[in-house]
Amino acid sequence: MSNLNLFELSCGAQSYDWGKLGQSSAVARYAAASNPDFSVNEDQPYAELWMGTHPSVPSKNIASGETLRDLVTTHPELLGPAVSGAFGAGELPFLFKVLSIRKALSIQAHPDKALGAQLHAADPKNYPDDNHKPEMAIAVTAFEGFCGFRPLEQISALLESVPEFKEIIGDAEAKAFETAVAGQEHAAEGSPEDKANRKALQALFSKLMNASADRVEDTARRLVERAASQSETFAAGFAYFDELAEDNGVRRGTDLAHLITRLNTQFPNDIGLFCGGLLLNYVRLYPGEAMFLRAKDPHAYISGDIIECMAASDNVVRAGFTPKFKDVDNLVSMLTYSYNPVLEQKMKPLPFPRAHATNGSAEFILYDPPIAEFAVLEGKLEPTATAAVEGLAGPSILITTEGAGKISTQGTEITLHAGSVIFIAPGTPVDIEASERLVTYRAFVEVSPETKL
């Protein structure tokens, strides 16, 4: 058996319709890199690479063939007593993924722990566990998605400039929303004005989500026709400043028109054109940038390759861009109705002093979301650089997304290449060496006395 402090994993791929096709999918390339029996079909979508202990797609120790789930069960030291005590034995508290996105995923939100337990007890078929599912996404390639409701002044402007939007909401309901939020769009969080804003946004969203299927299809069809034929004047010149834009930061009605027509080719006349395209923040991330998806906030991925880390759960409440079960009542009642600008969805990278270059140029940054189950460490080493990373107090999984090199500890050395996935046991220091520019992402969990579950 290989050294259980450091060993290479073979990880399985999930094929969903929204995944990128064949070799264009990072998921397919990475899966093939660690499994010589994995054959890439150029006509098949490869959507997700799963790295962890989830029984649906178990990661395996390449040397022994044992599943990681079996290994952490028979060798509890691979989790460590603190992690097992906090989250339970026999399973990592996080699931680490690569996603390759060709078409939009469903607009969705995830319950917090309390609601997750309630939904599971009431409807175990659609809510298969009782856990929450916070998620973090880090862009590997250029990425776009939806995250959280737009600022209120943008929603009011779109109600006035997109006739189909006001029509599906209704004149009276649209007027009620605009009157309720006027002059207090930037109310302090938790203030009476903020609570009134959220109540008004909830009423607007409820009206949209409860529109009849025939009304949605008819109104969406006319929305798309006008977006296609009048893109230059769509939304009456609607524009807003987007701090995440790589260009001059201005998003215009033409951008929105093109987005709506593009999404309509994937999900014709879908309610997601309204609840995603008009109500939610449009987000662009560039390689290495990250966002955290809070519980009870609506979001969707549109395109790109990302690293994703989440709590080990499969609870999803869907809103649009999906043929799957939509739980409108629970969705409307559960959301936070936060309306922060898109910049606030972006995570701030933090320094990580426990990892440093020992030769040449190497940079490590930490993405540490406000939850206990995981954090992700990004490492970038220039050619011939070496780096040392101290042992972490909990288990971790590292994936190489670019380049080549090697990782070593205590007499064990493993070659790294794009798609290499490595398990690192608690307390294991590692040395990393780059033979060409090397980019890695490492998900890990550490439990401290301050950890709040």
Side-chain angles (χ1 to χ4, degrees):
M1 180 178 290
S2 63
N3 181 354
L4 290 183
N5 288 328
L6 185 75
F7 56 89
E8 190 169 6
L9 295 172
S10 173
C11 302
Q14 294 276 49
S15 180
Y16 305 134
D17 180 62
W18 51 261
K20 291 186 177 181
L21 301 178
Q23 291 286 345
S24 70
S25 170
V27 167
R29 298 194 303 272
Y30 294 164
S34 63
N35 183 356
D37 296 326
F38 186 88
S39 177
V40 179
N41 181 341
E42 290 303 319
D43 297 322
Q44 182 172 339
Y46 296 94
E48 298 187 356
L49 183 78
W50 287 28
M51 301 169 281
T53 54
H54 198 288
S56 295
V57 187
S59 299
K60 296 181 179 180
N61 183 338
I62 287 179
S64 69
E66 296 171 277
T67 69
L68 184 57
R69 189 181 186 90
D70 286 344
L71 283 169
V72 300
T73 299
T74 57
H75 299 273
E77 69 275 11
L78 295 183
L79 293 183
V83 170
S84 295
F87 301 104
E91 184 174 16
L92 289 170
F94 62 82
L95 179 59
F96 201 28
K97 294 183 179 182
V98 178
L99 274 62
S100 291
I101 305 153
R102 176 177 54 93
K103 57 188 291 189
L105 281 70
S106 59
I107 299 171
Q108 58 190 257
H110 305 299
D112 60 16
K113 281 193 171 185
L115 181 59
Q118 294 172 18
L119 293 175
H120 175 65
D123 186 1
K125 176 183 176 182
N126 287 303
Y127 302 103
D129 61 69
D130 62 0
N131 199 14
H132 65 166
K133 191 184 178 183
E135 299 175 340
M136 181 171 63
I138 307 173
V140 175
T141 62
F143 163 85
E144 57 181 340
F146 295 125
C147 187
F149 287 100
R150 290 179 181 272
L152 300 179
E153 62 269 27
Q154 290 185 24
I155 296 174
S156 292
L158 287 168
L159 282 168
E160 290 303 312
S161 60
V162 180
E164 296 82 6
F165 189 23
K166 178 176 280 190
E167 179 183 340
I168 199 168
I169 297 298
D171 287 343
E173 289 81 2
K175 181 66 174 178
F177 171 81
E178 294 176 62
T179 301
V181 305
Q184 59 184 39
E185 293 91 344
H186 303 282
E189 186 171 350
S191 67
E193 293 80 9
D194 175 56
K195 292 177 182 177
N197 286 345
R198 293 177 190 240
K199 185 177 180 179
L201 183 54
Q202 182 180 30
L204 184 81
F205 185 68
S206 177
K207 183 69 175 181
L208 170 64
M209 294 307 298
N210 283 288
S212 69
D214 289 345
R215 187 177 184 190
V216 169
E217 182 173 1
D218 175 66
T219 313
R221 176 183 51 78
R222 287 184 281 111
L223 172 74
V224 172
E225 287 175 354
R226 200 166 57 78
S229 64
Q230 303 175 32
S231 63
E232 293 300 319
T233 57
F234 187 80
F238 170 77
Y240 66 97
F241 188 77
D242 176 1
E243 300 92 335
L244 294 187
E246 191 176 55
D247 49 28
N248 62 8
V250 177
R251 297 280 178 229
R252 304 188 183 279
T254 51
D255 298 320
L256 183 57
H258 294 156
L259 177 64
I260 286 172
T261 55
R262 175 158 56 101
L263 291 173
N264 190 65
T265 64
Q266 300 174 8
F267 295 93
N269 304 328
D270 191 270
I271 195 170
L273 301 174
F274 293 102
C275 71
L278 300 180
L279 272 178
L280 301 187
N281 282 313
Y282 172 74
V283 180
R284 279 187 178 176
L285 298 178
Y286 297 92
E289 294 184 319
M291 66 179 183
F292 178 62
L293 307 171
R294 297 170 178 83
K296 299 185 176 182
D297 275 353
H299 59 274
Y301 301 151
I302 299 173
S303 71
D305 298 285
I306 61 171
I307 295 288
E308 185 182 57
C309 200
M310 64 184 65
S313 172
D314 199 25
N315 282 331
V316 179
V317 187
R318 295 178 176 87
F321 294 149
T322 179
K324 296 182 179 179
F325 172 66
K326 299 174 188 175
D327 190 347
V328 172
D329 290 344
N330 274 315
L331 183 71
V332 169
S333 66
M334 71 179 271
L335 299 180
T336 64
Y337 295 98
S338 172
Y339 46 89
N340 296 320
V342 65
L343 184 61
E344 296 190 21
Q345 310 294 337
K346 187 178 177 182
M347 293 190 69
K348 181 180 179 181
L350 303 172
F352 193 74
R354 289 182 284 167
H356 60 275
T358 52
N359 179 64
S361 176
E363 178 186 17
F364 292 87
I365 58 173
L366 178 68
Y367 290 108
D368 190 14
I371 44 96
E373 284 86 348
F374 61 83
V376 175
L377 179 65
E378 177 191 77
K380 293 181 178 179
L381 285 73
E382 296 304 318
T384 73
T386 59
V389 185
E390 297 176 16
L392 305 182
S396 57
I397 293 177
L398 176 147
I399 182 170
T400 298
T401 58
E402 178 184 335
K406 59 185 179 181
I407 185 170
S408 60
T409 188
Q410 304 167 352
T412 297
E413 181 178 288
I414 300 174
T415 298
L416 298 177
H417 49 79
S420 295
V421 181
I422 310 295
F423 180 85
I424 306 171
T428 303
V430 295
D431 295 308
I432 303 174
E433 179 179 337
S435 55
E436 55 186 71
R437 186 175 187 272
L438 187 68
V439 180
T440 65
Y441 291 94
R442 180 176 176 180
F444 67 95
V445 55
E446 293 183 309
V447 176
S448 69
E450 295 77 31
T451 297
K452 295 181 180 180
L453 302 180

